[in-house]
Amino acid sequence: MEDKIVTGLANDGHIRIMCISSTQMVQEAKDRHDLWPTASAALGRLMSVSALMGAQLKNEEEVISVRVDGDGELGLMRVDAAKTGAVRGFVMNPHVMLMNDQKHLDVGKAVGKGTLSVSRNYGLKNEFTSSIELVSGEIGEDFAMYFTQSEQLPSVVSVGVLVNKDGNIDAAGALLIQMMPGHTESDIDMAEYVVEHLKPISQMIVEGMTPEMIVSSLFNETELLSQSAVEFKCHCNHDKMRETLKTLTVHDLEELMHEDEGATLECQYCNTHYHFDKNDLMEIIQEKKHVEDSQA
């Protein structure tokens, strides 16, 4: 099943449903970062919901950045998601494997207590950021609280990542059900009934249900509005890493050139490595000295 996001409206536009199948995206994150099962489940959930939020952005220049700062073994998790469907993310400690008493992956314990922060970059220098305290660390409940508190949209969020015995991803996805402005008590009652009888999202996906099928199956009359592709995609490149090196002092660059005979930078989001040899560093040093001389 291809990764995609599908959006629909039910109950005369009073209820918005968004669903993502993200199995391939989470598998790539697992492969790139060598994620252990609990880390795969945690980062996969975060990437899936962040992708849904990215799909809500107005234009392709906008980016949403989501941070989970917990005191559990995973440490910081961060995900960037764009309107284009490009999503990237990392977890500070990828080698986490925690199980609860029911022999399920214990994401809540691995995340711990802390904050969920969402920043929106509207193509301006300043970002708008809002934060809440984590409810459980399970990601779904935390985002439901975020939408309710920060965006005044009563919401239900179902997230799931099914990791097999080999550590690979059998199914991953997320489902968002939101009450839109003008909703009634009847709409709330209907949504609560749907949620009470909802299968886990990962189970529906592994059973072969597409996002279109899931969105269409929840309420009697649902209008499918849009669908879009989503993928793990990082926007790092050699030129951007070169700009990072240019922030170092001439002294530091000379040390790298003489002691290490070059420098290798790693993108935290995608684990891609960029190597700069002695000649590359010398070019950067000469550029910096030229700028310093012109400003003297």
Side-chain angles (χ1 to χ4, degrees):
M1 183 190 304
E2 63 177 330
D3 287 353
K4 68 171 67 174
I5 295 172
V6 173
T7 302
L9 287 175
N11 286 33
D12 296 322
H14 293 166
I15 301 175
R16 176 167 62 189
I17 313 111
M18 297 185 74
C19 183
I20 178 175
S21 58
S22 52
T23 307
Q24 296 171 39
M25 179 179 72
V26 178
Q27 179 67 47
E28 182 157 357
K30 182 264 177 191
D31 292 339
R32 284 182 175 271
H33 296 294
D34 187 31
L35 301 175
W36 290 8
T38 308
S40 288
L43 184 60
R45 293 178 186 183
L46 188 63
M47 292 180 70
S48 299
V49 184
S50 299
L52 294 180
M53 298 180 73
Q56 295 178 9
L57 295 171
K58 300 301 182 183
N59 61 66
E60 294 187 356
E61 286 71 40
E62 296 176 5
V63 176
I64 195 161
S65 295
V66 182
R67 290 173 59 104
V68 171
D69 289 284
D71 62 3
E73 291 186 25
L74 291 169
L76 170 69
M77 291 192 293
R78 178 163 176 168
V79 173
D80 290 351
K83 176 71 173 179
T84 59
V87 183
R88 63 178 191 168
F90 70 88
V91 55
M92 193 62 69
N93 181 10
H95 295 160
V96 176
M97 175 62 177
L98 287 176
M99 306 285 285
N100 60 23
D101 294 338
Q102 289 74 44
K103 303 301 181 183
H104 295 151
L105 298 175
D106 199 339
V107 171
K109 184 177 180 181
V111 171
K113 297 179 181 179
T115 58
L116 165 64
S117 303
V118 178
S119 299
R120 287 175 170 79
N121 185 331
Y122 297 106
L124 305 174
K125 290 184 178 179
N126 296 324
E127 291 184 339
F128 173 76
T129 302
S130 55
S131 302
I132 66 162
E133 294 294 317
L134 291 171
V135 177
S136 65
E138 293 286 345
I139 306 301
E141 295 171 343
D142 303 304
F143 271 100
M145 181 61 71
Y146 170 82
F147 286 122
T148 301
Q149 283 191 0
S150 298
E151 301 190 0
Q152 287 75 52
L153 291 175
S155 306
V156 174
V157 182
S158 174
V159 290
V161 176
L162 186 60
V163 184
N164 63 33
K165 62 181 181 180
D166 296 323
N168 290 312
I169 312 302
D170 278 344
L175 176 67
L176 172 62
I177 301 174
Q178 292 183 306
M179 297 295 104
M180 303 305 290
H183 68 269
T184 65
E185 287 297 321
S186 175
D187 297 319
I188 294 176
D189 291 342
M190 187 173 297
E192 288 179 344
Y193 177 84
V194 167
V195 171
E196 287 175 3
H197 296 81
L198 196 64
K199 288 183 179 180
I201 182 69
S202 56
Q203 180 182 341
M204 288 189 277
I205 291 174
V206 83
E207 288 175 355
M209 292 187 72
T210 65
E212 297 97 323
M213 294 167 63
I214 294 171
V215 170
S216 300
S217 70
L218 302 180
F219 299 90
N220 290 331
E221 294 183 7
T222 300
E223 177 188 4
L224 296 181
L225 299 180
S226 64
Q227 63 174 296
S228 56
V230 64
E231 63 178 333
F232 189 110
K233 185 176 181 180
C234 190
H235 53 254
C236 69
N237 57 45
H238 192 273
D239 289 341
K240 289 180 179 179
M241 289 299 180
R242 191 177 190 276
E243 289 300 311
T244 299
L245 279 175
K246 288 173 68 174
T247 64
L248 299 179
T249 65
V250 170
H251 174 74
D252 289 338
L253 289 167
E254 288 175 340
E255 279 195 347
L256 287 172
M257 187 174 66
H258 295 303
E259 295 180 12
D260 299 332
E261 296 191 350
T264 299
L265 301 187
E266 175 186 301
C267 176
Q268 198 167 25
Y269 283 97
C270 67
N271 262 354
T272 301
H273 292 75
Y274 296 89
H275 182 69
F276 298 83
D277 61 24
K278 294 175 68 174
N279 292 331
D280 296 324
L281 296 182
M282 178 56 72
E283 285 183 4
I284 296 173
I285 290 171
Q286 290 174 344
E287 288 177 18
K288 290 180 69 71
K289 286 184 177 180
H290 177 73
V291 172
E292 291 172 0
D293 290 342
S294 66
Q295 294 175 345

